[in-house]
Each structure stands twice: as C-alpha cells, then as structure tokens.
Amino acid sequence: MSKHTAAIHWQNHGPDFLKRQYSREHAWHFDGGAVVSASPSPHIVPAPWSNAASVDPEEAFVASVASCHMLWFLHVAINAGFLAESYDDNAEGVMTKNERGLLWISQITLRPHIIWGGAKIPTADEIAHLHHLAHEQCFIANSIKTDVQVQPRD
C-alpha cells in the first residue's frame, strides 16, 4: 500500500470575506517540491475571485485521468513489444448535473495521438487492445464513476 499526499494553502485576500468578496486562488504543494497555482474555474467563480491562468480542480481531474491512462498505455505497449516515440492527448471532461441536480464530471474523453517507431507497428485493433488494458490498470480510472472514453487520433 502506498500513501499520496498534497498540501493545500489558501490565504484570505479580499475586501470582504463575509460578502463572498475574496480571492479563491490557492496553491497545491506536492512532496517532491512542485507547487501548482490553483483556482476555481472562471466558469464557476467569475474573476476577480478566480484566476483563469491557474489550474482548476476540474482540469486537474481530467489531467489526472489522462496522465494515468498514458502511463499505463506506455507500460502495456512496452510489454507488447511496441516502441512509442511520443504520446499526446487532448483530453476533455464534460460537466453535467446528476440525478440529484448536482454538478459532476460525467464523462472524460481521451484523444491520444501516438507516434510509433521501430519495425513493429501496432494495428488499429492492437492499439484499441492496448488502450483497453491501460484503462483496466489505471488507478485513477479504477477509483471514479466518471465514464472514460478513448478516441485515438490518427
């Protein structure tokens, strides 16, 4: 078993907290020393109380799913003897309301584009199988109820 941590820091900077006039900008601190500027999405909390240049939790969630899938995809591709030269993904999450009327990220679509090298290039069916194996192994995908779709780009 492993443990994963993140420290979140927010400080009140605003004219009137009790009137909801305060910045929601904060920082994510990770054990390796990385610090990420975070803020709610301006779609949820308008400026000046949010910062579109920062990462919002919804973007981070989509990136987490995409990153986990990529890491497992590369692992299963190696196991199958395929040489991946690059992997790019334009992942997208869609927020909808659930049966109780609450917003949630109901679907994430991964749109990976892989450049292959070497003599052994996978077929479309083999690539689909690799994505299936990666999805089955992804820790994040195994932890969520969000529907994750994979639509490879040529």
Side-chain angles (χ1 to χ4, degrees):
M1 179 185 297
S2 61
K3 182 169 60 170
H4 304 273
T5 62
I8 309 301
H9 177 73
W10 170 85
Q11 182 70 42
N12 186 8
H13 296 289
D16 195 334
F17 182 82
L18 296 176
K19 289 184 179 178
R20 294 179 171 73
Q21 296 175 347
Y22 64 96
S23 174
R24 275 72 160 184
E25 292 183 67
H26 54 285
W28 298 342
H29 298 261
F30 297 96
D31 59 0
V35 178
V36 176
S37 295
S39 174
S41 167
H43 299 290
I44 306 297
V45 177
W49 315 121
S50 65
N51 183 345
S54 296
V55 177
D56 65 62
E58 297 81 15
E59 291 170 324
F61 179 63
V62 172
S64 178
V65 171
S67 180
C68 186
H69 183 88
M70 179 203 68
L71 292 168
W72 277 106
F73 183 88
L74 297 175
H75 177 79
V76 297
I78 290 167
N79 287 349
F82 298 115
L83 170 63
E85 295 287 353
S86 68
Y87 183 111
D88 294 292
D89 191 350
N90 293 329
E92 178 181 68
V94 176
M95 192 176 298
T96 60
K97 289 188 178 182
N98 67 13
E99 61 281 352
R100 297 183 339 218
L102 301 173
L103 289 171
W104 72 300
I105 297 176
S106 58
Q107 183 174 353
I108 294 174
T109 303
L110 307 179
R111 294 184 180 91
H113 177 70
I114 301 109
I115 302 294
W116 300 99
K120 184 179 175 186
I121 305 297
T123 65
D125 286 343
E126 289 170 322
I127 292 169
H129 181 67
L130 294 172
H131 282 297
H132 176 76
L133 293 174
H135 183 72
E136 284 186 338
Q137 296 298 314
C138 174
F139 310 135
I140 306 300
N142 287 326
S143 303
I144 63 174
K145 64 181 182 177
T146 300
D147 178 39
V148 178
Q149 301 286 317
V150 180
Q151 298 175 355
R153 295 177 290 145
D154 293 331

